[in-house]
Amino acid sequence: MDSTQQHVLTQIAESDVHFVRLWFTDLEGRLKSVAIPPAEVEKAFRSGVGFDGSAVEGLTRVYESDMVLRPDAQTFQILPWSHGQDARMFADIDMRDGTPALPDPRSILKRALLNAEDAGFTFMVHPEIEFYLFQLDDDPTAVPVPIDSGSYFDHVSHSLGHNFRREAILMLEEMGIAVEFSHHESGPGQNEIDLRATDALTMADNIQTFRTVLEEVAINEGIRVSFMPKPFSDKPGSGMHLHVSLFLGDHDAFYSPTDRYGLSLTARYFLAGVLQYAAQMTAIENQHVNSFKRLAGGMEAPQWICWAPYNSTALVRVPSVDPHKPDETRFEVRSPDSAVNPYLAFAAILTAGMAGIDSKAELMEPIEEDVEKMTDLEREALGIKRLPTSLAQALEQMQRSELMEKMLGEEAFDFFLRNKRQEWDAYRRQVTDFERESFARF
């Protein structure tokens, strides 16, 4: 065993931990876990924990069901809400022969990161995570009721949300997850918490932990947290804007002091790749039928494939670069929503960006006016294309993408498409209240 694993065994021995939960993620981003007693952790480090992978969405076929969870000792944390009795570690998934399971989302991201590392790059991510807080209701079909009527940056002192964010941030920081800031968002009961930038694998693990922490705090507060992309037709959706950058050693590879926007050639190639493959990875960044209600709803959700230095209606925004802080040069990718699988989203953005670097892709001119207010002819003249407007369109674009298939691997690629087509088919058969209210008289 290595020193990190030995340190974990020592921590467990010196604590009151009764169970260690091994966390992993299915292809849709749902967190899964299995609990083992402390006495089994050393064995888990040596030989893993076997389980039936065919029972987990997208992991493997029935005749290859035997799989192994291998805990990552670097992710060991005691869970604050368990009063010190439970801990967790993220686990990688292997086949019985010891090779990584290709459809494991964590492994998919690791492969993308290895490609970047071979070129000398470290991929850094800083997310802005939006979510709604609702009053508890025993009827899951009822229209959710927000806990307050606040709006952007409101100081709602007596709101449950004010205390919720405080408790959530304290719990996140207790688990080693640094928070940059938090605030009330534009919608009633809508909030945002931004996590401080880390490498992409750590951040994907942090986002999965973040969701679990918020659910635990919500239970304690007697409310409900929702990461649904668009809960209300007339209110803002919940996005997960991702600030991304590449580092070469200790230096931001995106910065150039001579460029008008502070962008290096590496940054321009990377950004061009993200735009080039934007439509092909939309289904990964917006994986549910409800996701496209957010994209179609305006309210600064992006619909058009372009970039801008300041314009929040563009798909990718480039924040202004402080010459005194060159290592904060980054892009803000605005398309992902809060229901995204972070491992797959990070892998897709990085893979697209690296493809742009490899091909020295040409970057379109920035758009400094409001894209939404342009005519179709104006957008066409500038080469601005639209993102897919439905899950069905996004899946069509993804199916034609050799890059996304290579990134995911054949099994995960086929399962993702098949699973999401089933979601689309189930959705389009529904008869909604809107249809009944509009057409029942005919």
Side-chain angles (χ1 to χ4, degrees), residues 282-309:
T282 295
I284 293 173
E285 297 176 330
N286 303 270
Q287 64 168 327
H288 297 298
V289 289
N290 180 256
S291 300
F292 294 85
K293 305 293 179 69
R294 167 182 166 259
L295 293 180
M299 302 183 189
E300 297 190 353
Q303 299 184 62
W304 304 97
I305 302 173
C306 59
W307 73 281

Side-chain angles (χ1 to χ4, degrees), residues 171-221:
M171 195 174 287
L172 287 166
E173 291 182 339
E174 193 173 342
M175 294 193 70
I177 299 175
V179 173
E180 192 164 75
F181 59 83
S182 68
H183 60 87
H184 199 288
E185 253 298 337
S186 301
Q190 189 183 33
N191 292 263
E192 176 179 310
I193 297 177
D194 298 0
L195 304 184
R196 193 172 297 279
T198 68
D199 67 276
L201 182 61
T202 299
M203 184 56 73
D205 290 343
N206 285 352
I207 289 172
Q208 295 297 74
T209 304
F210 173 94
R211 289 169 172 160
T212 304
V213 166
L214 265 61
E215 288 169 358
E216 291 291 338
V217 175
I219 291 171
N220 291 338
E221 297 290 326

Side-chain angles (χ1 to χ4, degrees), residues 200-407:
L201 182 61
T202 299
M203 184 56 73
D205 290 343
N206 285 352
I207 289 172
Q208 295 297 74
T209 304
F210 173 94
R211 289 169 172 160
T212 304
V213 166
L214 265 61
E215 288 169 358
E216 291 291 338
V217 175
I219 291 171
N220 291 338
E221 297 290 326
I223 56 179
R224 181 164 64 91
V225 62
S226 174
F227 300 101
M228 183 178 181
K230 186 73 170 175
F232 305 107
S233 59
D234 59 344
K235 305 297 180 186
S238 291
M240 188 188 294
H241 301 162
L242 299 176
H243 294 253
V244 302
S245 57
L246 289 180
F247 271 65
L248 274 172
D250 295 331
H251 302 290
D252 194 324
F254 281 180
Y255 177 68
S256 170
T258 60
D259 182 77
R260 176 184 176 186
Y261 300 108
L263 301 179
S264 66
L265 275 178
T266 296
R268 287 180 166 271
Y269 294 149
F270 189 98
L271 178 51
V274 169
L275 297 177
Q276 179 181 344
Y277 294 101
Q280 298 177 26
M281 60 184 178
T282 295
I284 293 173
E285 297 176 330
N286 303 270
Q287 64 168 327
H288 297 298
V289 289
N290 180 256
S291 300
F292 294 85
K293 305 293 179 69
R294 167 182 166 259
L295 293 180
M299 302 183 189
E300 297 190 353
Q303 299 184 62
W304 304 97
I305 302 173
C306 59
W307 73 281
Y310 317 112
N311 192 338
S312 58
T313 63
L315 175 65
V316 180
R317 186 179 72 89
V318 178
S320 58
V321 177
D322 184 342
H324 301 293
K325 298 178 180 179
D327 288 344
E328 294 184 3
T329 307
R330 63 198 188 277
F331 306 144
E332 180 188 8
V333 184
R334 300 175 61 81
S335 47
D337 59 45
S338 292
V340 73
N341 182 331
Y343 300 99
L344 300 190
F346 296 174
I349 292 169
L350 177 58
T351 299
M354 291 302 298
I357 291 174
D358 292 343
S359 66
K360 293 182 169 54
E362 184 177 355
L363 181 62
M364 66 185 296
E365 290 298 312
I367 306 301
E368 300 194 8
E369 57 251 68
D370 189 337
V371 190
E372 299 294 335
K373 294 181 179 178
M374 291 181 180
T375 66
D376 289 341
L377 287 176
E378 288 172 331
R379 285 189 285 261
E380 184 177 352
L382 293 170
I384 301 173
K385 297 180 180 179
R386 191 177 196 130
L387 285 172
T389 59
S390 68
L391 182 59
Q393 286 187 10
L395 294 174
E396 289 175 6
Q397 291 279 353
M398 182 175 168
Q399 184 177 13
R400 295 195 290 265
S401 177
E402 294 181 4
L403 188 71
M404 292 299 106
E405 181 176 12
K406 182 179 179 181
M407 178 204 75

Side-chain angles (χ1 to χ4, degrees), residues 21-313:
R21 302 185 181 278
L22 306 185
W23 287 3
F24 61 102
T25 303
D26 70 10
L27 270 176
E28 280 202 330
R30 287 184 292 255
L31 190 65
K32 305 287 185 177
S33 75
V34 60
I36 59 175
E40 294 297 314
V41 174
E42 183 174 353
K43 180 182 176 182
F45 282 145
R46 294 187 186 281
S47 55
V49 175
F51 74 108
D52 180 5
S54 66
V56 179
E57 292 282 7
L59 277 187
T60 190
R61 294 162 287 201
V62 172
Y63 59 84
E64 298 174 332
S65 60
D66 289 340
M67 307 187 89
V68 178
L69 292 171
R70 297 201 180 274
D72 182 345
Q74 293 183 350
T75 66
F76 177 84
Q77 287 284 348
I78 294 176
L79 302 176
W81 58 87
S82 72
H83 307 291
Q85 295 186 351
D86 289 2
R88 72 95 161 99
M89 284 184 282
F90 281 93
D92 295 309
I93 303 174
D94 284 355
M95 306 301 289
R96 277 292 181 185
D97 62 4
T99 59
L102 295 179
D104 172 22
R106 207 165 186 262
S107 294
I108 289 170
L109 176 55
K110 281 187 170 184
R111 293 198 300 270
L113 292 172
L114 184 60
N115 180 48
E117 289 167 9
D118 287 343
F121 296 120
T122 300
F123 186 46
M124 303 292 288
V125 182
H126 149 57
E128 302 174 357
I129 310 174
E130 297 172 345
F131 54 92
Y132 273 87
L133 297 175
F134 297 133
Q135 296 178 18
L136 278 181
D137 195 315
D138 293 333
D139 181 2
T141 65
V143 176
V145 179
I147 63 167
D148 60 48
S149 57
S151 58
Y152 191 65
F153 267 39
D154 274 3
H155 182 72
V156 192
S157 301
H158 301 292
S159 166
L160 286 171
H162 183 79
N163 190 58
F164 177 93
R165 291 199 307 272
R166 179 182 181 278
E167 294 301 317
I169 290 168
L170 290 174
M171 195 174 287
L172 287 166
E173 291 182 339
E174 193 173 342
M175 294 193 70
I177 299 175
V179 173
E180 192 164 75
F181 59 83
S182 68
H183 60 87
H184 199 288
E185 253 298 337
S186 301
Q190 189 183 33
N191 292 263
E192 176 179 310
I193 297 177
D194 298 0
L195 304 184
R196 193 172 297 279
T198 68
D199 67 276
L201 182 61
T202 299
M203 184 56 73
D205 290 343
N206 285 352
I207 289 172
Q208 295 297 74
T209 304
F210 173 94
R211 289 169 172 160
T212 304
V213 166
L214 265 61
E215 288 169 358
E216 291 291 338
V217 175
I219 291 171
N220 291 338
E221 297 290 326
I223 56 179
R224 181 164 64 91
V225 62
S226 174
F227 300 101
M228 183 178 181
K230 186 73 170 175
F232 305 107
S233 59
D234 59 344
K235 305 297 180 186
S238 291
M240 188 188 294
H241 301 162
L242 299 176
H243 294 253
V244 302
S245 57
L246 289 180
F247 271 65
L248 274 172
D250 295 331
H251 302 290
D252 194 324
F254 281 180
Y255 177 68
S256 170
T258 60
D259 182 77
R260 176 184 176 186
Y261 300 108
L263 301 179
S264 66
L265 275 178
T266 296
R268 287 180 166 271
Y269 294 149
F270 189 98
L271 178 51
V274 169
L275 297 177
Q276 179 181 344
Y277 294 101
Q280 298 177 26
M281 60 184 178
T282 295
I284 293 173
E285 297 176 330
N286 303 270
Q287 64 168 327
H288 297 298
V289 289
N290 180 256
S291 300
F292 294 85
K293 305 293 179 69
R294 167 182 166 259
L295 293 180
M299 302 183 189
E300 297 190 353
Q303 299 184 62
W304 304 97
I305 302 173
C306 59
W307 73 281
Y310 317 112
N311 192 338
S312 58
T313 63

